Amino acid sequence: MPEITINNQKVTVEEGQTILTAARSIGINIPTLCFLEGYEPLGACRVCLVELAGGKTLVPSCSTPVTDGMEVYTNSKRVRQARKTVVELLLSEHEGDCQLCDRAEDCELKELAYELGIRDVHYEGEKPEQLIDESTPALVRDSGKCIKCRRCITACNTIQGVGALFPQYRGYRTTISPAFASDLESVACVQCGQCAAVCPVGAISEYAHTDSVWEALDDPSKFVVVQTAPAIRAALGECFDYPAGTLVTGKMTAALRHMGFDRVFDTNFTADLTIMEEGNELLSRLKKALKDKEEVALPQFSSCSPGWINFVEYYYPQFIPNVSTCKSPQQMFGAVAKTYLAELEGVDPKDMVVVSIMPCTAKKFECRRDEMNDSGYQDVDYVLTTRELGQMIKGAGIDFRSLEDEEMDKPLGTSSGAADIFANTGGVMEAAVRTAYELVTGRELPMEKLHIGPIVGLEGVKEAKLKIEKPLPDWDFLDGAELNVAVAHGLGNAAKVLEAIASGKADYHFVEVMTCPGGCIGGGGQPRYTDNAVRQARINAIYQEDEGKKLRKSHENPEIIELYKKFLERPLGEKSHHLLHTLYKEKETV
Amino acid sequence: MPTRENQELTQTMSEHPEDDPALLEALDTVIDGYGSEKGVLIPALQSAQNLYGFLPEKVLKHISKKLNIPYSEVAGVVTFYSYFSTVPRGKYLVRVCLGTACYVRGGKEVLAAIKDYLGIDVGETTQDRKFSLEIGRCFGACSLAPVIMVNDTVHQRVKPERLKELLAPYENDEVEANEGSGEETTGGSV
């Protein structure tokens, strides 16, 4: 193994490691603006330059592998000067309206300029034309702020396999955008926001709904209810300097009440409802296939993640019949709130405003889909990302850290642990299996702490098999059957699963897909910056929330039982069909 | 540059060659010939430009689907190389060198004058389809800077105020469109 010195510190590193990772392993930080952990380095931004003893030129540490005996200096005068020049050059082309930028708090460029002590930009000149793209309901792009680091391209092309973004034109005129510098709306962007999640500056962000939400809260004639997605509670704390993976469910609830929401509810409630519908849908598909010998699309795919829905509609329309017809928990919540809840509260649904807090940008798109008006109104009015909520709480002058924990309101605030784990990869599958297994056998899922080991964790595609023995009489056709399930997160991984199914190499009954790496905890609307360590910390927090609950299975949620008794009657019933299910349609990619 | 056989095809072409199924079939035959090799995008684009005379949007989208390469990437390559054009090219392609030598010796002024004279921007074609304008990066004639090329002919030490004279023979069609292809590489000084 090569032995090198970094700033006169000896370190033994693995063959093939880069200078950057070697330095980080011994606690020496080298700044980067384009590097994305786990992906091929690009060497585009040049801020990670380091000096090698005897080297004529400085080298980018992100893409230079170590060799035995290498002497590296990461903080020499030459390095500092070069780095300063590089950052100044970036600033000279950057539209620096920092006070008005939504990255004011966590801009990597601004932070780096500060750390390097840059107080003056020596290079003045023409700036490239600034194009602002507000064409989609989810994302806003500002080319004036873009530093062309190309992280978004890695996210869009390599991680998601979508390829909406690419460098267009050349040299000074280069702009990172859809084909011919067109708007996102005109291309097959799934609106997942992974580009925004990795952007080091304010060039890609969510389309803000903050003003609209304040307006609703200020309007005394409106009954404003809020739902919080499962993934928020494990990430919102990061907006208030808590370490990643700190659960802040109680403080979040208190903060939302302070902001003036009339009711604070939980998307977890409708996650439980989703399991009732989606689990029964799966069993009904299995029954049709195995008992009635009818033609039915299997495997069934989960349908909670709107980026994934877009992905199927654009790129794999042949699989549309396989996607569960269940609306996502966000949309089920809106439909239930403006019908069932409106009736319970005696509120005219036209005066009800439903706000969602989501870890996601695609949810902003989803709530405006034409199909999402089954209550007679737009079921969900506004969607705030975790980041937007953090900003609003600060803006409202709420001292988040000193808040006392509060409980969510009833009935739409009651949920099971199965709903919590909707936040992370493998969670929807596990939640569905906890319920489906029990419905079929009458017995609890025989697994430690109710977790399905093989589908827990950050591996891109995970599989599990589940043998069904001694089912209840209604399900005797499943006796001895082995249920094959798969879990994918990140659309590139989802595409692998789809290709394997299409080519006959894989055969599953149920597949969970979450658009973003790690699942919703790693969503495009979460606090930046999210790497695998952050993902894992948030996932641990979510499992902790699940395990800490008495209620662990969706079908045991008393408020769900009540909802069926009073209103929906039964899973897959007529009312469910109308309010909780939807259809998808093929869309052109180019 | 269109080859001779393709020129015949382009000459008989309609206003909307992208709607011609025969051309599309010809393109597909070329692309299919590449099989599933990597790095076929640029050759495919070259073939398409030879066939169509330029790269219509419809054809680029077809290539994107056929090669399973994102449309953004196809467009990224097309917009990177000045060789590719997404608008029909005029009979005469004027390329203004903005390489270092030409740049410091007034290439930018030459470009401005040509834009002004032809009434088009870089990448555009005049209404009468006579002239297209592009920027070049060094034709290897630095000692003659600033230079421009009209089709395959290099014009040296170009002065903005004498452009009219330089372009007149082309305007009046006193030169062949494929003049100079092959041996003759430098035109007279103006």
Side-chain angles (χ1 to χ4, degrees), chain A residues 126 157 161-171 173 177-180 186-187 588-590, chain B residues 57 60-62 64-65 70-82 86 108 122 137:
Chain A
E126 222 179 315
N157 295 25
V162 169
L165 300 170
F166 205 78
Q168 306 292 314
Y169 305 101
R170 175 177 195 163
R173 283 184 69 210
S177 75
F180 300 106
S186 65
V187 299
E588 271 289 298
T589 46
V590 289
Chain B
E57 184 181 321
L60 291 177
K61 287 183 171 172
H62 175 80
S64 156
K65 275 191 172 172
Y71 185 48
S72 64
E73 191 173 333
V74 173
V77 170
V78 169
T79 54
F80 186 87
Y81 294 105
S82 61
T86 54
K108 225 179 160 187
V122 175
R137 303 278 173 198

